mmCIF file of all heavy atoms in Angstrom:
data_model
loop_
_atom_site.group_PDB
_atom_site.id
_atom_site.type_symbol
_atom_site.label_atom_id
_atom_site.label_comp_id
_atom_site.label_asym_id
_atom_site.label_seq_id
_atom_site.Cartn_x
_atom_site.Cartn_y
_atom_site.Cartn_z
ATOM 1 N N PRO E 24 160.470 131.203 69.593
ATOM 2 C CA PRO E 24 159.525 131.441 70.506
ATOM 3 C C PRO E 24 159.222 130.230 71.582
ATOM 4 O O PRO E 24 159.371 129.058 71.008
ATOM 5 C CB PRO E 24 158.089 131.816 69.968
ATOM 6 C CG PRO E 24 158.290 131.186 68.626
ATOM 7 C CD PRO E 24 159.719 131.177 68.312
ATOM 8 N N SER E 25 159.039 130.454 72.799
ATOM 9 C CA SER E 25 158.740 129.346 73.819
ATOM 10 C C SER E 25 157.454 128.590 73.308
ATOM 11 O O SER E 25 156.446 129.176 73.028
ATOM 12 C CB SER E 25 158.757 129.819 75.224
ATOM 13 O OG SER E 25 158.424 128.778 76.147
ATOM 14 N N ARG E 26 157.496 127.276 73.249
ATOM 15 C CA ARG E 26 156.294 126.479 72.981
ATOM 16 C C ARG E 26 155.829 125.654 74.172
ATOM 17 O O ARG E 26 156.648 125.079 74.855
ATOM 18 C CB ARG E 26 156.720 125.613 71.779
ATOM 19 C CG ARG E 26 155.576 124.915 71.136
ATOM 20 C CD ARG E 26 155.936 124.118 69.904
ATOM 21 N NE ARG E 26 156.358 125.069 68.800
ATOM 22 C CZ ARG E 26 157.698 125.082 68.509
ATOM 23 N NH1 ARG E 26 158.648 124.483 69.152
ATOM 24 N NH2 ARG E 26 158.042 125.990 67.611
ATOM 25 N N ILE E 27 154.448 125.569 74.364
ATOM 26 C CA ILE E 27 153.935 124.920 75.396
ATOM 27 C C ILE E 27 154.149 123.452 75.234
ATOM 28 O O ILE E 27 154.141 122.870 74.090
ATOM 29 C CB ILE E 27 152.354 125.278 75.557
ATOM 30 C CG1 ILE E 27 151.740 124.648 76.720
ATOM 31 C CG2 ILE E 27 151.713 124.781 74.322
ATOM 32 C CD1 ILE E 27 150.351 125.022 77.108
ATOM 33 N N THR E 28 154.515 122.707 76.193
ATOM 34 C CA THR E 28 154.750 121.314 76.239
ATOM 35 C C THR E 28 153.433 120.425 76.344
ATOM 36 O O THR E 28 152.376 121.001 76.832
ATOM 37 C CB THR E 28 155.632 120.906 77.385
ATOM 38 O OG1 THR E 28 155.067 121.124 78.590
ATOM 39 C CG2 THR E 28 156.925 121.617 77.262
ATOM 40 N N ASN E 29 153.371 119.247 76.108
ATOM 41 C CA ASN E 29 152.275 118.337 76.229
ATOM 42 C C ASN E 29 151.747 118.237 77.717
ATOM 43 O O ASN E 29 150.545 118.317 77.945
ATOM 44 C CB ASN E 29 152.526 116.979 75.664
ATOM 45 C CG ASN E 29 152.605 117.021 74.153
ATOM 46 O OD1 ASN E 29 152.031 117.723 73.454
ATOM 47 N ND2 ASN E 29 153.454 116.018 73.602
ATOM 48 N N ALA E 30 152.661 118.180 78.607
ATOM 49 C CA ALA E 30 152.395 118.140 79.967
ATOM 50 C C ALA E 30 151.521 119.447 80.514
ATOM 51 O O ALA E 30 150.586 119.324 81.124
ATOM 52 C CB ALA E 30 153.467 117.870 80.873
ATOM 53 N N GLU E 31 152.123 120.605 80.007
ATOM 54 C CA GLU E 31 151.541 121.819 80.367
ATOM 55 C C GLU E 31 150.075 121.953 79.737
ATOM 56 O O GLU E 31 149.122 122.392 80.419
ATOM 57 C CB GLU E 31 152.371 123.011 79.896
ATOM 58 C CG GLU E 31 153.594 123.107 80.653
ATOM 59 C CD GLU E 31 154.499 124.272 79.996
ATOM 60 O OE1 GLU E 31 154.832 124.201 78.901
ATOM 61 O OE2 GLU E 31 154.838 125.091 80.869
ATOM 62 N N LEU E 32 149.945 121.409 78.468
ATOM 63 C CA LEU E 32 148.603 121.591 77.909
ATOM 64 C C LEU E 32 147.500 120.476 78.592
ATOM 65 O O LEU E 32 146.514 120.873 78.841
ATOM 66 C CB LEU E 32 148.707 121.132 76.500
ATOM 67 C CG LEU E 32 147.471 121.053 75.527
ATOM 68 C CD1 LEU E 32 147.069 122.623 75.519
ATOM 69 C CD2 LEU E 32 147.737 120.628 74.200
ATOM 70 N N LEU E 33 148.108 119.336 79.107
ATOM 71 C CA LEU E 33 147.275 118.394 79.914
ATOM 72 C C LEU E 33 146.871 119.126 81.049
ATOM 73 O O LEU E 33 145.701 119.112 81.590
ATOM 74 C CB LEU E 33 148.060 117.195 80.122
ATOM 75 C CG LEU E 33 147.400 116.050 81.056
ATOM 76 C CD1 LEU E 33 146.003 115.711 80.473
ATOM 77 C CD2 LEU E 33 148.366 114.921 81.251
ATOM 78 N N GLY E 34 147.859 119.785 81.861
ATOM 79 C CA GLY E 34 147.439 120.374 83.002
ATOM 80 C C GLY E 34 146.471 121.481 82.769
ATOM 81 O O GLY E 34 145.492 121.609 83.735
ATOM 82 N N GLN E 35 146.451 122.215 81.784
ATOM 83 C CA GLN E 35 145.450 123.349 81.505
ATOM 84 C C GLN E 35 144.140 122.683 81.282
ATOM 85 O O GLN E 35 143.229 123.214 81.718
ATOM 86 C CB GLN E 35 145.949 124.146 80.283
ATOM 87 C CG GLN E 35 145.116 125.212 79.834
ATOM 88 C CD GLN E 35 144.971 126.222 81.064
ATOM 89 O OE1 GLN E 35 145.967 126.705 81.488
ATOM 90 N NE2 GLN E 35 143.933 126.614 81.451
ATOM 91 N N TYR E 36 144.126 121.643 80.442
ATOM 92 C CA TYR E 36 142.764 120.844 80.230
ATOM 93 C C TYR E 36 142.135 120.465 81.498
ATOM 94 O O TYR E 36 140.962 120.569 81.749
ATOM 95 C CB TYR E 36 143.143 119.675 79.302
ATOM 96 C CG TYR E 36 143.355 120.116 77.840
ATOM 97 C CD1 TYR E 36 143.798 119.085 76.964
ATOM 98 C CD2 TYR E 36 142.974 121.361 77.413
ATOM 99 C CE1 TYR E 36 143.918 119.391 75.611
ATOM 100 C CE2 TYR E 36 143.302 121.576 76.020
ATOM 101 C CZ TYR E 36 143.734 120.744 75.242
ATOM 102 O OH TYR E 36 143.964 121.026 73.873
ATOM 103 N N MET E 37 143.081 119.880 82.406
ATOM 104 C CA MET E 37 142.518 119.277 83.830
ATOM 105 C C MET E 37 141.889 120.402 84.486
ATOM 106 O O MET E 37 140.851 120.322 85.085
ATOM 107 C CB MET E 37 143.646 118.679 84.558
ATOM 108 C CG MET E 37 144.037 117.309 83.921
ATOM 109 S SD MET E 37 145.397 116.561 85.013
ATOM 110 C CE MET E 37 145.410 114.907 84.243
ATOM 111 N N GLN E 38 142.569 121.550 84.674
ATOM 112 C CA GLN E 38 142.029 122.731 85.308
ATOM 113 C C GLN E 38 140.770 123.292 84.729
ATOM 114 O O GLN E 38 139.939 123.753 85.372
ATOM 115 C CB GLN E 38 143.152 123.786 85.570
ATOM 116 C CG GLN E 38 144.393 123.235 86.420
ATOM 117 C CD GLN E 38 145.530 124.218 86.630
ATOM 118 O OE1 GLN E 38 145.652 125.113 85.794
ATOM 119 N NE2 GLN E 38 146.136 124.172 87.632
ATOM 120 N N ASP E 39 140.784 123.269 83.455
ATOM 121 C CA ASP E 39 139.654 123.806 82.715
ATOM 122 C C ASP E 39 138.401 122.945 82.952
ATOM 123 O O ASP E 39 137.328 123.269 83.151
ATOM 124 C CB ASP E 39 139.767 124.059 81.168
ATOM 125 C CG ASP E 39 140.714 125.130 80.880
ATOM 126 O OD1 ASP E 39 141.050 125.995 81.742
ATOM 127 O OD2 ASP E 39 141.286 125.064 79.638
ATOM 128 N N ALA E 40 138.731 121.579 82.969
ATOM 129 C CA ALA E 40 137.674 120.629 83.305
ATOM 130 C C ALA E 40 137.055 120.829 84.710
ATOM 131 O O ALA E 40 135.934 120.680 85.033
ATOM 132 C CB ALA E 40 138.142 119.182 83.077
ATOM 133 N N ALA E 41 138.044 121.045 85.607
ATOM 134 C CA ALA E 41 137.610 121.270 87.002
ATOM 135 C C ALA E 41 136.655 122.480 87.213
ATOM 136 O O ALA E 41 135.684 122.347 88.030
ATOM 137 C CB ALA E 41 138.857 121.472 87.903
ATOM 138 N N LYS E 42 136.780 123.496 86.379
ATOM 139 C CA LYS E 42 135.904 124.579 86.432
ATOM 140 C C LYS E 42 134.572 124.106 86.051
ATOM 141 O O LYS E 42 133.523 124.669 86.515
ATOM 142 C CB LYS E 42 136.292 125.662 85.530
ATOM 143 C CG LYS E 42 137.748 126.431 86.017
ATOM 144 C CD LYS E 42 138.118 127.413 85.110
ATOM 145 C CE LYS E 42 139.503 127.907 85.310
ATOM 146 N NZ LYS E 42 139.981 128.911 84.451
ATOM 147 N N GLU E 43 134.383 123.254 85.076
ATOM 148 C CA GLU E 43 133.119 122.836 84.489
ATOM 149 C C GLU E 43 132.504 121.819 85.607
ATOM 150 O O GLU E 43 131.226 121.799 85.698
ATOM 151 C CB GLU E 43 133.277 122.093 83.150
ATOM 152 C CG GLU E 43 133.836 122.921 82.066
ATOM 153 C CD GLU E 43 132.713 123.852 81.636
ATOM 154 O OE1 GLU E 43 131.387 123.685 81.788
ATOM 155 O OE2 GLU E 43 133.108 125.052 81.117
ATOM 156 N N PHE E 44 133.270 120.912 86.158
ATOM 157 C CA PHE E 44 132.691 119.874 86.998
ATOM 158 C C PHE E 44 132.411 120.542 88.311
ATOM 159 O O PHE E 44 131.669 120.048 89.205
ATOM 160 C CB PHE E 44 133.757 118.768 87.131
ATOM 161 C CG PHE E 44 133.971 118.015 86.000
ATOM 162 C CD1 PHE E 44 135.150 117.507 85.710
ATOM 163 C CD2 PHE E 44 133.016 117.932 84.907
ATOM 164 C CE1 PHE E 44 135.517 116.853 84.465
ATOM 165 C CE2 PHE E 44 133.246 117.271 83.697
ATOM 166 C CZ PHE E 44 134.379 116.669 83.451
ATOM 167 N N GLY E 45 133.104 121.664 88.761
ATOM 168 C CA GLY E 45 132.870 122.198 90.064
ATOM 169 C C GLY E 45 134.199 122.009 90.879
ATOM 170 O O GLY E 45 134.529 120.886 91.228
ATOM 171 N N ALA E 46 134.872 123.064 91.206
ATOM 172 C CA ALA E 46 136.156 122.947 91.900
ATOM 173 C C ALA E 46 135.931 122.471 93.404
ATOM 174 O O ALA E 46 136.846 121.972 94.072
ATOM 175 C CB ALA E 46 136.765 124.323 92.103
ATOM 176 N N GLY E 47 134.692 122.501 93.843
ATOM 177 C CA GLY E 47 134.455 122.118 95.221
ATOM 178 C C GLY E 47 134.148 120.637 95.317
ATOM 179 O O GLY E 47 134.097 120.059 96.501
ATOM 180 N N THR E 48 133.911 119.952 94.145
ATOM 181 C CA THR E 48 133.680 118.551 94.143
ATOM 182 C C THR E 48 135.118 117.751 94.380
ATOM 183 O O THR E 48 136.091 118.261 94.068
ATOM 184 C CB THR E 48 133.012 117.978 92.872
ATOM 185 O OG1 THR E 48 133.950 118.296 91.784
ATOM 186 C CG2 THR E 48 131.693 118.904 92.721
ATOM 187 N N PRO E 49 134.947 116.520 94.867
ATOM 188 C CA PRO E 49 136.206 115.754 95.085
ATOM 189 C C PRO E 49 136.954 115.629 93.773
ATOM 190 O O PRO E 49 138.200 115.755 93.731
ATOM 191 C CB PRO E 49 135.764 114.405 95.694
ATOM 192 C CG PRO E 49 134.405 114.684 96.177
ATOM 193 C CD PRO E 49 133.833 115.753 95.489
ATOM 194 N N TYR E 50 136.213 115.285 92.695
ATOM 195 C CA TYR E 50 136.861 114.990 91.364
ATOM 196 C C TYR E 50 137.428 116.359 90.989
ATOM 197 O O TYR E 50 138.600 116.424 90.384
ATOM 198 C CB TYR E 50 135.915 114.501 90.246
ATOM 199 C CG TYR E 50 136.364 114.133 89.128
ATOM 200 C CD1 TYR E 50 137.801 113.623 88.940
ATOM 201 C CD2 TYR E 50 135.805 114.390 87.870
ATOM 202 C CE1 TYR E 50 138.388 113.418 87.732
ATOM 203 C CE2 TYR E 50 136.218 114.066 86.617
ATOM 204 C CZ TYR E 50 137.636 113.558 86.529
ATOM 205 O OH TYR E 50 138.134 113.170 85.306
ATOM 206 N N GLY E 51 136.659 117.496 90.980
ATOM 207 C CA GLY E 51 137.090 118.888 90.506
ATOM 208 C C GLY E 51 138.363 119.339 91.210
ATOM 209 O O GLY E 51 139.394 119.825 90.657
ATOM 210 N N SER E 52 138.353 119.268 92.551
ATOM 211 C CA SER E 52 139.408 119.750 93.347
ATOM 212 C C SER E 52 140.697 118.838 93.028
ATOM 213 O O SER E 52 141.959 119.309 92.995
ATOM 214 C CB SER E 52 139.245 119.703 94.814
ATOM 215 O OG SER E 52 138.855 118.275 95.166
ATOM 216 N N THR E 53 140.611 117.484 92.831
ATOM 217 C CA THR E 53 141.696 116.767 92.575
ATOM 218 C C THR E 53 142.245 116.977 91.126
ATOM 219 O O THR E 53 143.496 117.085 90.924
ATOM 220 C CB THR E 53 141.330 115.151 92.513
ATOM 221 O OG1 THR E 53 140.782 115.020 93.912
ATOM 222 C CG2 THR E 53 142.524 114.385 92.309
ATOM 223 N N LEU E 54 141.331 117.335 90.158
ATOM 224 C CA LEU E 54 141.858 117.708 88.854
ATOM 225 C C LEU E 54 142.730 119.017 88.884
ATOM 226 O O LEU E 54 143.697 119.185 88.268
ATOM 227 C CB LEU E 54 140.664 117.904 87.960
ATOM 228 C CG LEU E 54 140.008 116.706 87.239
ATOM 229 C CD1 LEU E 54 138.708 117.115 86.662
ATOM 230 C CD2 LEU E 54 140.938 116.155 86.289
ATOM 231 N N ILE E 55 142.189 119.924 89.698
ATOM 232 C CA ILE E 55 143.045 121.218 89.897
ATOM 233 C C ILE E 55 144.473 120.948 90.487
ATOM 234 O O ILE E 55 145.378 121.419 89.912
ATOM 235 C CB ILE E 55 142.247 122.186 90.877
ATOM 236 C CG1 ILE E 55 141.009 122.630 90.255
ATOM 237 C CG2 ILE E 55 143.217 123.385 91.182
ATOM 238 C CD1 ILE E 55 140.149 123.568 90.958
ATOM 239 N N THR E 56 144.489 120.097 91.385
ATOM 240 C CA THR E 56 145.746 119.649 92.091
ATOM 241 C C THR E 56 146.759 119.044 91.086
ATOM 242 O O THR E 56 147.918 119.388 90.828
ATOM 243 C CB THR E 56 145.586 118.772 93.283
ATOM 244 O OG1 THR E 56 144.752 119.517 94.261
ATOM 245 C CG2 THR E 56 146.933 118.374 93.930
ATOM 246 N N VAL E 57 146.204 117.943 90.503
ATOM 247 C CA VAL E 57 146.954 117.179 89.434
ATOM 248 C C VAL E 57 147.360 118.109 88.178
ATOM 249 O O VAL E 57 148.460 118.025 87.786
ATOM 250 C CB VAL E 57 146.167 115.951 89.022
ATOM 251 C CG1 VAL E 57 147.028 115.259 87.833
ATOM 252 C CG2 VAL E 57 145.919 115.033 90.096
#
């Protein structure tokens, strides 16, 4: 089976964090992009 990579997991964590911090904030929107 296909296994998630570390970079994909990091990206998922960043996007989940952005939801907590607020996607409309400078930090949150940048986390979503990165």
Side-chain angles (χ1 to χ4, degrees):
S25 178
R26 188 175 293 107
I27 188 171
T28 63
N29 290 330
E31 289 175 308
L32 187 60
L33 174 60
Q35 184 62 53
Y36 285 168
M37 287 182 172
Q38 293 181 332
D39 291 344
K42 296 176 184 178
E43 296 289 334
F44 300 148
T48 64
Y50 185 34
S52 62
T53 303
L54 278 173
I55 291 176
T56 301
V57 176

